[in-house]
Amino acid sequence: MFVNLKETAEKLKSAENILVTSHINPDGDAIGSTLALMQILRSMKKNVQVYIDDNVPKSFLNLPCVDEIKRPAENEKFSADLFVVLDTSADRIGKVSEMTDAPILNIDHHVTNKGVDCDLHLEVEAAATCEIIFNIAHELGAEITENAAICLYTGMATDTGFFNYSNTKPSTFRAAAELVERGVQPNLIIEQIDKRTFQEVKVMSAALRTTKLYFGGKAAGMFVDEELYKKTNTTEGFIDLIRVIDTVDVAFLLTSHEKNICRVSMRSKNANVAEIAKRLGGGGHIRAAGCTLQKTLEEAKQILIQAIGEYLVETNNISREEFENCEEISISNF
Ligand code: 5GP
Ligand code: MN
């Protein structure tokens, strides 16, 4: 069932013991929104715990209260009367789904969220779940402390590519401006997120050399195999290196995290990559989406190129002949 902002605030107000989670492979919005909501609800004297069934990426380890994020142990339970799932539907939260039977309040901005078996507050126009949490804080009349503001700003900044992507709205800037008034220093946030070790830059450069173009340059892909991935365990920001290519509409990054598990990230300038991801069992936003394929890197590559090509044919971006005679252009021929 869909619930509006007011009903969402009411549900939070009437709960006492609240379990908060977000998706596996957490990003800045997942970490920022859970930490901010935790702080806001604790200021209202609620008993709140955050569990995420994954590691917190290095870029976000300096966020205020980040140590409060726990990973569920085997069969661990939390006695909650409300279970808040942020920035994803409840099917991408790993073992946290087994921690409680409390009713789910799902707060999200992904167009592919269908809200099964929960109360869903969905704002697809919100740039980030953090922007929704900002609105909820106002609806609750709760104070946004400097620490909560830092968490909210981080989620909004990372989901909008630092206020550059097409999801950036006047409301996003207004919220961000208020967060800066509350003490956020944008330069310090980007410094923290963009910081890389030399080893990471080396891995990035190796990944860049795997770049291939498809469909006359309309699609570009990067491939990180298990061996390369294990050197730093991050591919944060890699896709941004190729989405800038002038001919490219769809950019993708294929990463083999472990044997037969490939993560797909997609970005686009026009194409609806949420639709492509959905066909492969994933989801996301129109211009940023992803999925997981339980395949080898080579198999996943074929499946993904096929799916992107089919989509480009259907949307009249390439002809069926161009699709069938697709040539792979490699950067390493340079
Ligand atoms: P990223 O490429 O940054 O991992 O993800 C881009 C967007 O797509 C994010 O909003 C993310 O939540 C969403 N997304 C990525 N992978 C999946 C997936 O496997 N399933 C769904 N439903 N969404 C995904
Ligand atoms: Mn998000």
Side-chain angles (χ1 to χ4, degrees):
M1 197 178 86
F2 284 97
V3 288
N4 63 27
L5 186 67
K6 201 162 183 273
E7 291 161 335
T8 304
E10 284 306 322
K11 283 181 189 298
L12 291 168
K13 251 189 227 166
S14 55
E16 285 309 321
N17 300 294
I18 305 171
L19 175 61
V20 179
T21 192
S22 188
H23 53 85
I24 50 175
N25 290 310
D27 54 13
D29 196 25
I31 305 290
S33 61
T34 50
L35 286 177
L37 185 63
M38 178 194 81
Q39 293 170 67
I40 289 160
L41 294 174
R42 280 187 181 169
S43 78
M44 298 165 67
K45 307 279 179 276
K46 310 283 183 192
N47 173 29
V48 187
Q49 291 298 335
V50 176
Y51 279 83
I52 295 179
D53 192 9
D54 213 331
N55 295 323
V56 176
K58 193 171 63 91
S59 307
F60 309 117
L61 283 175
N62 282 349
L63 282 180
C65 305
V66 73
D67 294 341
E68 294 282 332
I69 299 181
K70 299 191 187 116
R71 229 183 138 150
E74 209 58 52
N75 295 321
E76 186 172 355
K77 302 284 175 212
F78 180 76
S79 170
D81 42 49
L82 187 65
F83 183 18
V84 182
V85 178
L86 298 177
D87 198 41
T88 176
S89 46
D91 56 356
R92 283 179 69 217
I93 57 174
K95 284 205 295 284
V96 183
S97 64
E98 294 152 26
M99 293 184 70
T100 176
D101 292 325
I104 296 175
L105 173 61
N106 188 188
I107 302 169
D108 191 14
H109 67 135
H110 288 94
V111 65
T112 46
N113 190 335
K114 293 285 166 270
V116 183
D117 295 333
C118 67
D119 288 317
L120 172 63
H121 179 58
L122 186 68
E123 287 188 36
V124 294
E125 288 295 308
T129 299
C130 278
E131 191 178 324
I132 311 177
I133 301 298
F134 174 87
N135 294 333
I136 290 174
H138 281 288
E139 185 66 33
L140 287 167
E143 192 206 345
I144 300 175
T145 60
E146 181 177 331
N147 279 347
I150 290 170
C151 297
L152 290 174
Y153 186 94
T154 296
M156 285 172 37
T158 50
D159 261 25
T160 57
F162 283 83
F163 309 99
N164 282 308
Y165 300 155
S166 59
N167 57 350
T168 312
K169 306 272 157 50
S171 59
T172 325
F173 283 118
R174 277 190 211 105
E178 186 181 322
L179 297 174
V180 173
E181 278 165 357
R182 291 183 184 278
V184 171
Q185 293 179 267
N187 58 316
L188 299 186
I189 307 248
I190 193 164
E191 225 171 80
Q192 197 55 45
I193 291 170
D194 268 359
K195 199 164 64 183
R196 289 176 197 280
T197 61
F198 187 43
Q199 172 78 348
E200 281 165 7
V201 172
K202 284 198 266 184
V203 170
M204 208 174 199
S205 103
L208 188 57
R209 271 182 271 129
T210 69
T211 301
K212 310 266 188 313
L213 296 186
Y214 302 91
F215 311 120
K218 292 204 168 79
M222 251 176 157
F223 306 87
V224 176
D225 64 18
E226 228 183 303
E227 194 190 337
L228 188 57
Y229 181 69
K230 292 235 159 78
K231 289 186 196 289
T232 53
N233 288 316
T234 178
T235 54
E236 198 57 49
F238 287 19
I239 198 165
D240 297 324
L241 299 171
I242 56 170
R243 52 176 278 282
V244 295
I245 301 170
D246 56 357
T247 59
V248 169
D249 181 4
V250 179
F252 67 86
L253 168 70
L254 195 53
T255 309
S256 179
H257 280 208
E258 38 191 296
K259 196 166 177 277
N260 290 336
I261 302 207
C262 286
R263 281 280 316 148
V264 176
S265 276
M266 286 185 278
R267 301 288 183 270
S268 77
K269 292 177 194 139
N270 292 300
N272 182 349
V273 286
E275 174 59 32
I276 302 171
K278 210 165 72 179
R279 292 178 189 178
L280 298 173
H285 306 289
I286 292 172
R287 302 222 158 73
C291 61
T292 299
L293 297 172
Q294 293 185 350
K295 300 282 177 195
T296 65
L297 194 63
E298 194 49 45
E299 288 164 346
K301 174 180 166 182
Q302 297 309 330
I303 290 168
L304 188 58
I305 292 164
Q306 186 79 17
I308 293 170
E310 288 285 0
Y311 174 89
L312 292 175
V313 172
E314 280 166 36
T315 51
N316 298 319
N317 282 292
I318 56 170
S319 65
R320 184 135 302 266
E321 290 68 47
E322 283 175 291
F323 173 45
E324 273 155 17
N325 303 322
C326 171
E327 243 184 274
E328 185 179 80
I329 303 165
S330 172
I331 206 171
S332 50
N333 296 341
F334 180 66

